[in-house]
Amino acid sequence: MFLLGALSSVADAIGSGAGTGGLNLQLNAGAIAPEAAVLIALLTCLLVDLAGEKAASRWVPPICYAGLGSALVLLALQWNTPDLQPAFVGSFLADNLAIAFRAVVAASTLISLLLSWRYVEQSGTPVGEYAGILLAATLGAMFLCGATDLVTIFVSLETLSVSSYLLAGYMKRDARSSEAALKYLLVGSAAAAVFLYGASLLYGLTGGATGLDAVALALRTSASPVTALALVFVLATVAFKIAAVPFHQWTPDVYEGSPTPVVAFLSVGSKAAGFALALRILVGCFESFDAQWKLLFTVLAVLSMVLGNVVALAQTSMKRMLAYSSIGQAGFVMIGLVCGTEDGFAAMVLYMAAYLFMNLGAFACIILFSLRTGSDRIADYAGLYQKDPLITLGLSLCLLSLGGIPPMLGFFGKIYLFFAGWADHQYLLVVVGLVTSVVSIYYYISVIKMMVVKEPQEASDVVKAYPAINWSVAGLPALRTALVGCVIVTAVGGILSNPLFTWASQAVTGTPMLVQAIG
Amino acid sequence: MTIASITQLICFVALSATLVLGALGVVLLPNIVYSAFLLGGVFLSVAGLYLLLNASFVAAAQVLVYVGAVNVLILFAIMLVNKKENLAAIPGLGLRRLLSGAVCGGLFLLLIRVAFTTPWALPGPEAVGEEATIRIGEHLFSDYLLPFELASVLLLMSMIGAIVLARRDVLSSDVITGEAVDQGLIEKERTPLLLENSPR
């Protein structure tokens, strides 16, 4: 940890040298040691890539594992820091909330990369740059989780977004991928501009400070109309990032056109960063506007749950179905945000962690299926049970978990969310959540039925022509590891979820901002 | 009223008029080349407003970055792809324009109302003037160090991404298995798009 912290020693020296007056300019650069590990991996990937495509496909995967693995270890070491100090003169705070969400982001990148290698090589796009851009997106998302300053928030948000646009358009010879990138770029830039407008209004209210604590102080003392405007603008950006209805229009097209491993990252990593931003800004700053933003988020949550889950019923493409289902899942997580109790926040963290495993497990299965068959239509999964039991079993377990069927991890996450909502008298949200869960179970089960129940002669042409199962090609063993790992955690994690509950409630109690909000 | 303040007022009115008219032109003119040139005018008048506010560094940066780089890039892009093409008419265009105009007008009225009802702390802090560069430098290496360093990652990534999207040499075969590849999504579409048939 000290070695990686020493990376920033140059910056440290500059920072302490530029001390103005009696200000205490302690950098605490160790707080960003996990990000430093990711950054080193990123630069090494780019350097290795110079040696040619063969060397890159050999060396880039281990470098990424090392970087993200050490980032996760460093995050674990930061957990429950006794004497929490803001890092970089108030730009960054490594509290337990930030650590939990950064861990979700880093883990989602790690798993997405495990899923990516074969996909990227089979499509003939360069691996080194792919890993580099994905790591940059991770870096932006990780900084976003801990940023406590409007400028840092904006720069990290842009790092995440620009890398996401590039990844969405990475299969540049495919018109759908280019379309996805262009749509994402246009809508995302508009959202960023709206955020910047809101942030500039907040900056004006503080009278020239950009720290979130200064913003919170200014908002507590003034209740002018401009505050409400800033709230709406900031909220729109957050809703865009977590794809809440009605800011969701980009989601299905972007998810359909992007390379599938990228969709896996966007649906978990990018969303986790969006929720961390929501907690930091809305709970941390807008506490005097509690009733207003909670009302807005209630509306967003109800719309997301209803529209996401109902429109998912009509989808014929697996990727589009998971896109709409992820909109619905974001609606469930928002219940925890609206509660604003200790249980609500803990349930959010817990559900994000559960969602990481079950969603990425489902993506692992559909990536493997499309690698073998070149299709992602739901109808093409008919009769898959005969040919590929592993995909069938994995996808079934993950979809059941997403739907919230009892022994799985997703059930415990969902029941905790609903429990927290019920305890906080959010009856409307809980009832809508329950009803839409039933709807979601219907379309998840219809996929499983398609795979399992069909007779061999009813199988789709794609499944009839299914290739022999071969794990020897480089990149496939990594995919298999990710798939099996995610499915095991999804299936068994529910029974052994006690450590997860402890972890989630520690994430809340170890965060001064949330403790104050629960207060 | 002194001569200085009258000059300032005249400059402000002139710059604002150019700004508003130019911005309207950017949005409303049908010819995209006119729009691009007017955008340059808009950027320049914004730089003028910064100068009036005694923020010379921001004004210089505005001219260098927006007029010198962004706008020139936009013009290049327009001139490189400027071919006549008759696009299919969008159904209900009039209604769409009316609706978006109403939304924009509503937002404008809301902003005006908020701007007038908010009790602004006037006059604001004194402008630092010539010392601005020193102050910016101090901030970049103290409390804004993290975003400043992170911006370098952002720029590096945008550069690499631009190269990836623009470069022509592509892999024609899978590095591992040697099979032919086409740099498209693995999930193939059933109906090929027009673009795939066009010469590469």
Side-chain angles (χ1 to χ4, degrees), chain A residues 440-454:
Chain A
S440 75
I441 290 171
Y442 176 78
Y443 61 79
Y444 290 134
I445 295 235
S446 67
V447 175
I448 299 171
K449 192 181 125 218
M450 185 71 87
M451 291 188 294
V452 178
V453 179
K454 298 271 181 185

Side-chain angles (χ1 to χ4, degrees), chain A residues 30-336:
Chain A
I32 62 156
E35 282 81 1
V38 176
L39 183 62
I40 291 172
L42 193 170
L43 295 177
T44 323
C45 280
L46 293 178
L47 286 178
V48 166
D49 192 48
L50 295 177
E53 199 54 39
K54 272 232 151 53
S57 69
R58 171 78 186 80
W59 288 107
V60 164
I63 293 169
C64 293
Y65 304 153
L68 289 164
S70 47
L72 285 170
V73 170
L74 289 169
L75 283 171
L77 290 177
Q78 284 186 353
W79 188 251
N80 276 338
T81 315
D83 182 28
L84 197 62
Q85 292 290 335
F88 285 91
V89 202
S91 296
F92 193 84
L93 184 67
D95 51 10
N96 276 3
L97 176 82
I99 297 171
F101 276 97
R102 280 148 88 205
V104 170
V105 170
S108 79
T109 312
L110 185 61
I111 301 176
S112 309
L113 278 173
L114 285 170
L115 308 180
S116 300
W117 307 124
R118 188 70 218 125
Y119 193 99
V120 172
E121 269 151 15
Q122 194 159 322
S123 64
T125 39
V127 171
E129 284 93 343
Y130 174 85
I133 299 175
L134 191 53
L135 287 178
T138 315
L139 205 62
M142 286 172 79
F143 274 120
L144 189 57
C145 294
T148 50
D149 169 286
L150 289 174
V151 178
T152 315
I153 288 178
F154 182 69
V155 176
S156 47
L157 191 69
E158 278 303 277
T159 311
L160 170 62
S161 310
V162 170
S163 316
S164 308
Y165 310 149
L166 290 170
L167 286 171
Y170 202 71
M171 307 286 151
K172 57 182 177 180
R173 282 292 164 83
D174 200 309
R176 288 171 297 167
S177 187
S178 309
E179 183 192 334
L182 197 61
K183 277 186 180 165
Y184 201 10
L185 171 72
L186 291 176
V187 184
S189 312
V194 168
F195 177 79
L196 206 52
Y197 200 162
S200 72
L201 292 178
L202 291 178
Y203 174 70
L205 281 172
T206 58
T210 55
L212 285 189
D213 40 358
V215 173
L217 192 69
L219 291 183
R220 224 171 286 146
T221 48
S222 80
S224 52
V226 82
T227 329
L229 203 63
L231 170 67
V232 171
F233 284 163
V234 169
L235 200 131
T237 317
V238 169
F240 166 78
K241 211 69 214 160
I242 58 180
V245 179
F247 301 93
H248 71 288
Q249 279 100 341
W250 58 279
T251 323
D253 289 341
V254 170
Y255 280 22
E256 196 189 11
S258 308
T260 322
V262 174
V263 182
F265 171 75
L266 288 182
S267 68
V268 180
S270 175
K271 222 164 243 199
F275 275 112
L277 174 68
L279 282 171
R280 260 236 199 260
I281 291 197
L282 296 177
V283 179
C285 291
F286 283 94
E287 51 193 332
S288 46
F289 287 79
D290 233 21
Q292 283 90 334
W293 74 255
K294 280 186 176 165
L295 177 71
L296 285 173
F297 254 93
T298 308
V299 175
L300 290 181
V302 169
L303 285 177
S304 303
M305 285 189 282
V306 170
L307 192 125
N309 285 316
V310 169
V311 180
L313 284 174
Q315 300 307 314
T316 54
S317 147
M318 202 70 191
K319 273 159 100 178
R320 274 187 99 87
M321 192 203 83
L322 282 178
Y324 279 106
S325 113
S326 84
I327 294 172
Q329 302 281 349
F332 295 132
V333 180
M334 276 185 257
I335 298 179

Side-chain angles (χ1 to χ4, degrees), chain A residues 14 46 91 118-119 121-124 126 133 136 172-176 210 225 229 257 260 319 370 374 380, chain B residues 110-111 117 141 143-144 147 150 157 160 164 167 171 174 176 181-190 193:
Chain A
I14 297 165
L46 293 178
S91 296
R118 188 70 218 125
Y119 193 99
E121 269 151 15
Q122 194 159 322
S123 64
I133 299 175
K172 57 182 177 180
R173 282 292 164 83
D174 200 309
R176 288 171 297 167
T210 55
L229 203 63
T260 322
K319 273 159 100 178
S370 58
D380 284 344
Chain B
L110 180 71
L111 288 176
T117 48
F141 285 105
D143 47 350
Y144 292 121
L150 186 56
M157 204 32 61
I160 291 172
V164 167
R167 77 171 172 194
L171 311 173
D174 190 329
I176 308 273
V181 291
D182 62 347
Q183 296 216 317
L185 293 173
I186 299 290
E187 298 87 6
K188 298 295 171 226
E189 263 179 326
R190 296 308 155 92
L193 286 165

Side-chain angles (χ1 to χ4, degrees), chain B residues 45-70:
Chain B
S45 10
V46 173
L49 284 183
Y50 289 148
L51 272 184
L52 276 186
L53 291 169
N54 210 353
S56 43
F57 178 78
V58 187
Q62 167 86 8
V63 172
L64 285 178
V65 175
Y66 284 96
V67 185
V70 174

